[in-house]
Amino acid sequence: MKALRKVGIGALLAGALLTEDASAGSWAKVTSQHDSRDFSTLTLTGGASGLPFGTSMFGFIESETQKTNRDNLKKPYGELNLKKKTQNGLGVIAEYNGDFSSGGVNRFGLVFEPRLPLFLGAKFYPLSNKNNGVQIGIYGSKYFNKGNEYIEGFMDYNFKPRRFVGEAQFGKRIKNNLYGATELRYNGFKPRNFGIAAGLELKL
């Protein structure tokens, strides 16, 4: 069952990240950054809208290099959510997150993404398996100067355990779809909570 779950999650995420159906409003990006805490990350992020039954999808997979061996990637951590919203931006959302080795966490709740000049959303997960408790989060992004610069980020708070995770990224176009990206990171689950990362991002 664990192997089947991994395959299913991988297939769903691959579909969200790699779909070429323009009507689905798909997008994807690859980001490589070095963190001030002496490790590097490689992240694949993507999403799609206009999916069957009026749903949309977002997900990412991220892996870190070991400090002593830059060529050795750790087991990736990923998140994948599926949501369905009404015209006013309020809807339901289901999310899976985990490292694909010990089994992940499933969360269910509400999402709100109002129509604004910028992209902004909030999610509330009152239900989760494995006794992981409630989680709340906000996220958003905004492009400037005809898409040459952008700011994006998220903040999640877990009530059990009481841990905060957040990132804020600034990007500037270098050429075409290649951007330089600088990121402020805070992860309450790491021994060293705060870090600054910099690197490159390619929008596919």
Side-chain angles (χ1 to χ4, degrees):
M1 289 297 293
K2 289 183 179 180
L4 183 61
R5 182 176 64 240
K6 293 176 184 178
V7 171
I9 292 167
L12 286 172
L13 188 53
L17 300 181
L18 303 179
T19 179
E20 296 180 356
D21 184 359
S23 65
S26 61
W27 60 274
K29 61 182 181 179
V30 180
T31 311
S32 177
Q33 295 177 306
H34 180 71
D35 194 287
S36 60
R37 290 166 289 186
D38 197 26
F39 62 85
S40 298
T41 56
L42 178 65
T43 312
L44 175 62
T45 309
S49 58
L51 297 176
F53 307 108
T55 60
S56 60
M57 185 180 291
F58 169 81
F60 72 87
I61 298 176
E62 181 171 278
S63 189
E64 296 180 7
T65 59
Q66 295 180 350
K67 296 180 180 180
T68 56
N69 185 356
R70 297 294 181 189
D71 296 326
N72 188 4
L73 289 175
K74 293 183 179 180
K75 291 181 179 179
Y77 171 84
E79 292 188 6
L80 175 68
N81 68 52
L82 184 68
K83 57 195 173 189
K84 180 176 176 58
K85 301 177 295 179
T86 60
Q87 290 187 348
N88 63 8
L90 182 64
V92 293
I93 185 170
E95 181 177 288
Y96 172 88
N97 57 74
D99 62 7
F100 301 95
S101 59
S102 58
V105 177
N106 298 298
R107 299 183 184 276
F108 304 92
L110 301 174
V111 63
F112 182 52
E113 295 177 355
R115 293 184 179 181
L116 297 170
L118 73 163
F119 175 66
L120 182 67
K123 56 186 181 179
F124 170 59
Y125 293 121
L127 303 175
S128 64
N129 68 335
K130 298 185 178 180
N131 198 29
N132 275 272
V134 177
Q135 184 190 79
I136 58 174
I138 60 173
Y139 49 90
S141 63
K142 174 68 175 178
Y143 280 79
F144 304 92
N145 189 22
K146 298 181 179 180
N148 288 312
E149 292 94 29
Y150 69 85
I151 296 175
E152 64 180 26
F154 75 91
M155 294 183 293
D156 290 341
Y157 183 75
N158 300 275
F159 285 81
K160 188 176 182 179
R162 296 181 181 274
R163 296 288 188 273
F164 171 81
V165 179
E167 295 180 358
Q169 184 182 98
F170 172 78
K172 182 174 179 59
R173 190 193 306 271
I174 297 175
K175 185 177 181 180
N176 298 328
N177 292 333
L178 181 65
Y179 289 74
T182 302
E183 194 168 84
L184 301 178
R185 298 171 168 177
Y186 182 91
N187 190 330
F189 293 93
K190 288 184 175 294
R192 294 175 61 186
N193 301 140
F194 180 76
I196 301 174
L200 298 174
E201 181 167 278
L202 178 63
K203 299 186 183 297
L204 305 176

